[in-house]
Amino acid sequence: WYQRRVREAVVSTQSTGPLSDQTESPEGYVYPSISDFKTVAMLALTLYVVRFLFEKLIAEPIGKWFGLKHYTNSTPPGPNKKLEALIAKTKKPNKKQIEEVAKLADMEIRDVEVWIRRRLREITPSQLTKFKETMWRFVFYSSICGYGISIMWNQDYLWNTMLCWVGYPDLTWAVPNCLYYYYMVSGAFYLSLLVSQFHDTKRKDFWEMFLHHIATLSLIGGSWIGGGYRMGSIILVIHDVADVFLETAKLGIYLKWEMVSNVCFAGFTLSWILLRLIFYPYKVITSSLFESTAVLGVWPANIVYGLFLIVLQVLHIYWFTFIVKLLVKILGSNDDTSVEDNRSEDEEIPSSSEEDKKDQ
């Protein structure tokens, strides 16, 4: 069956096979090069600057127009190692924990509650800060997803993944400019996320996301320089779809657009299941491990690629547990519960100067 598919794929690509006799890139094409990594690094720096300007000049004014704001200044809490240890353990201590730490710190329970509230206000990103980060990701994912779908929809190897391996790993196979731009910008964005993750709103899955970015960048770089850009572009486009729904749902949360957040969360869940839990393992991993072997035999580089692909799939399943927990929470609630990102480590805390007056 595999050999028959290989013959069919070879016939369909006879007119567009490897350009091994070319010394220069034909018009509209480029050849992958190590120097492209420098391009990705420069683009990542550019995106970093563009993000700063976008959040400051566009996202922040829009957020303020919708009524979002930074937390107002309040009286900073004094240093207290015992209370700091409690905050490091949990951002939302229960009554028993507060009573215990009050005895250890020789403080009144009310004073402990005031200290915790002020400390959380000091270290927790505001809704406006989270809105700006989310809006940047929404704009980027929407743009790159639309671009990716537009250039991939008519690619025959998207529908017949066997075509990803015909001619591989001929490194002189010219890459269309549209795919070159897609790869460079996507790689630059994930590289910028890898750096900005350390100062963005911290999530419970910080290290899982860090591992995700490392695996993604390894696959992007390896598939580009190793001639596997066809399968790499498929991986990119199927991942972008769910991210668009996720960021839109989060915008709906911050703006209190319950219908938007719930509808987009439904779209996010559906796209996650179809593309990351079904299409990805069934088509991408299967093709990378088995179809490639039918065409190439055992190729060492594909073993490494396969390991990174499996790492991503494990993360897909891990993150799907968060989705299931949120679905259970919504369906099990008697109230009209809206979607919220349960990976966030921060909590809703008072932000007005009125609270400080009450505390005092």
Side-chain angles (χ1 to χ4, degrees), residues 109-350:
I109 292 178
R110 174 61 177 169
D111 294 335
V112 171
E113 292 173 340
V114 170
W115 189 96
I116 292 175
R117 188 155 49 243
R118 290 178 178 175
R119 182 63 176 140
L120 288 178
R121 191 181 306 142
E122 186 177 59
I123 65 176
T124 303
S126 66
Q127 290 288 88
L128 181 56
T129 297
K130 293 185 287 184
F131 172 83
K132 293 191 300 181
E133 294 176 1
T134 301
M135 189 169 181
W136 163 249
R137 291 192 295 268
F138 164 76
V139 170
F140 180 86
Y141 282 130
S142 299
S143 302
I144 200 69
C145 181
Y147 179 74
I149 292 174
S150 69
I151 65 174
M152 292 292 295
W153 191 259
N154 292 323
Q155 299 293 336
D156 50 4
Y157 56 83
L158 176 62
W159 312 106
N160 180 6
T161 51
M162 181 69 77
L163 298 178
C164 292
W165 310 107
V166 175
Y168 179 87
D170 190 335
L171 302 184
T172 62
W173 200 328
V175 181
N177 281 340
C178 57
L179 277 180
Y180 170 79
Y181 301 140
Y182 189 38
Y183 248 81
M184 295 301 103
V185 175
S186 295
F189 181 70
Y190 282 108
L191 181 58
S192 70
L193 285 183
L194 183 68
V195 176
S196 66
Q197 184 182 5
F198 289 90
H199 62 75
D200 286 343
T201 300
K202 193 173 182 181
R203 306 290 181 183
K204 294 177 183 178
D205 60 347
F206 176 88
W207 290 111
E208 290 85 352
M209 185 62 73
F210 183 80
L211 177 61
H212 170 270
H213 294 335
I214 293 294
T216 301
L217 287 169
S218 299
L219 285 170
I220 290 175
S223 62
W224 177 254
I225 204 65
Y229 66 88
R230 290 188 164 190
M231 181 56 71
S233 59
I234 294 176
I235 296 172
L236 285 174
V237 76
I238 66 174
H239 278 72
D240 289 339
V241 175
D243 289 327
V244 175
F245 283 111
L246 175 62
E247 301 306 329
T248 308
K250 290 166 69 175
L251 286 178
I253 294 171
Y254 302 139
L255 299 178
K256 302 188 186 307
W257 293 348
E258 186 174 328
M259 179 62 71
V260 172
S261 63
N262 288 337
V263 170
C264 288
F265 179 72
F268 165 70
T269 303
L270 183 62
S271 61
W272 189 283
I273 293 172
L274 293 178
L275 296 178
R276 300 197 185 195
L277 298 183
I278 297 177
F279 183 88
Y280 179 81
Y282 175 68
K283 296 296 291 184
V284 173
I285 295 182
T286 299
S287 178
S288 298
L289 295 180
F290 300 107
E291 290 184 344
S292 63
T293 303
V295 178
L296 310 169
V298 178
W299 183 253
N302 271 9
I303 298 176
V304 178
Y305 295 157
L307 289 176
F308 280 116
L309 292 173
I310 292 172
V311 167
L312 286 183
Q313 182 60 16
V314 170
L315 290 172
H316 293 162
I317 296 171
Y318 169 74
W319 280 318
F320 187 65
T321 63
F322 285 97
I323 300 174
V324 173
K325 289 177 183 178
L326 185 51
L327 284 172
V328 171
K329 180 179 178 181
I330 294 173
L331 297 176
S333 174
N334 294 326
D335 301 325
D336 292 332
T337 305
S338 61
V339 176
E340 60 183 18
D341 189 354
N342 60 359
R343 298 174 304 146
S344 178
E345 287 194 344
D346 49 54
E347 307 290 345
E348 288 300 319
I349 59 175

